[in-house]
Amino acid sequence: EVGAIPFGLTDADILGLSIQDGTLLINLSARYAEIIRASCGDQRLAAYAAVNALCEMLNVRRVRFYFGGKQIESLGSDLCWDGEFLYNPALISP
């Protein structure tokens, strides 16, 4: 089962949230980037589970992730983390 929040995230890993021009900017800790990098799960499904939940809760259509204040292109998979993720519930629907 894919969760929106991979194991190990604490409130200390959420460094900041803001909404700019309809896009949620979420700054997570560099430590959390390493948790994602080390996880065996499907990063795309985990990212979109979080993106879709955040978009629904905060009424935005896009999410941009930062880790330790920086955008990171890759966390060890083919998923490009340094762009915008668009709300897309079809990616995690059965």
Side-chain angles (χ1 to χ4, degrees), residues 28-88:
L28 300 168
S29 70
R31 180 190 84 86
Y32 198 60
E34 292 308 312
I35 289 173
I36 293 170
R37 186 184 315 272
S39 72
C40 299
D42 185 328
Q43 287 185 20
R44 184 174 314 278
L45 289 178
Y48 273 100
V51 166
N52 290 337
L54 290 166
C55 285
E56 288 175 7
M57 286 188 297
L58 300 173
N59 197 30
V60 296
R61 302 298 291 170
R62 297 178 304 277
V63 176
R64 190 177 307 147
F65 291 95
Y66 294 82
F67 299 95
K70 300 176 187 175
Q71 286 194 295
I72 297 175
E73 182 178 344
S74 175
L75 294 174
S77 76
D78 65 347
L79 182 64
C80 182
W81 284 91
D82 66 350
E84 290 184 350
F85 290 78
L86 301 175
Y87 177 70
N88 191 342

Side-chain angles (χ1 to χ4, degrees), residues 5-17 26-32 35:
I5 302 175
F7 181 75
L9 180 69
T10 69
D11 58 351
D13 290 305
I14 303 170
L15 305 179
L17 298 169
I26 182 166
N27 187 17
L28 300 168
S29 70
R31 180 190 84 86
Y32 198 60
I35 289 173

